[in-house]
Amino acid sequence: MSWREWAETSARAVDVLDPLRGDETATALRVSPESTLGSIARETGGLLVADGWFRLLGGGAPRLPSLAEWAGLTGAPIVEPVDRGLCVGFDCIGGFFVLLAQTERVHSFLPDTLDWQDTKLGYSQFVHWTMHG
């Protein structure tokens, strides 16, 4: 199944934002448009999941920066980058989700402990989890 099918079948509200810079973002990331990350980067401005509880970055929208903007691939980064990590989303209580090249998994920054936790989920699994977990 694709992220679109996950969004359509989710019991959580999933708002798919129109992309402002989808092609630019996918090119800056150097990812396949067939991958979940490439598809979300190119085809969405981002995804607001569970009434905006989770905000997954995509190709940028008025309400969200793009994956490339957040990472500083198209200018100054929005936040200090994590070594070999790509911030793929954040939540409404201050948590950040970073895809680390070293592990090929998403790690979450927990604001209550100020520590990182390995979700043990690859990016596609993480997107599915936000919608169905």
Side-chain angles (χ1 to χ4, degrees):
M1 292 181 97
S2 72
W3 69 265
R4 287 194 182 277
E5 293 166 312
W6 299 334
E8 290 170 3
T9 60
S10 177
R12 298 174 177 166
V14 179
D15 187 10
V16 180
L17 304 177
D18 292 329
L20 292 178
R21 295 167 297 285
D23 290 333
E24 173 188 325
T25 299
T27 299
L29 293 175
R30 298 183 194 156
V31 294
S32 167
E34 287 80 36
S35 69
T36 302
L37 181 62
S39 177
I40 289 175
R42 186 176 303 277
E43 299 171 19
T44 80
L47 302 169
L48 304 179
V49 181
D51 297 319
W53 181 267
F54 294 107
R55 298 164 185 116
L56 303 180
L57 301 173
R63 297 164 60 186
L64 283 179
S66 74
L67 285 153
E69 289 169 322
W70 194 287
L73 299 176
T74 59
I78 293 174
V79 296
E80 185 175 332
V82 175
D83 180 39
R84 296 180 57 208
L86 176 67
C87 184
V88 294
F90 56 100
D91 64 31
C92 69
I93 59 169
F96 292 91
F97 301 95
V98 175
L99 178 61
L100 290 181
Q102 299 92 319
T103 63
E104 297 183 357
R105 293 189 304 264
V106 175
H107 295 251
S108 63
F109 179 77
L110 307 171
D112 55 340
T113 63
L114 301 178
D115 202 7
W116 289 95
Q117 179 179 10
D118 184 352
T119 66
K120 302 196 184 330
L121 301 172
Y123 180 74
S124 295
Q125 295 168 313
F126 171 73
V127 172
H128 184 272
W129 174 80
T130 65
M131 297 179 196
H132 294 274

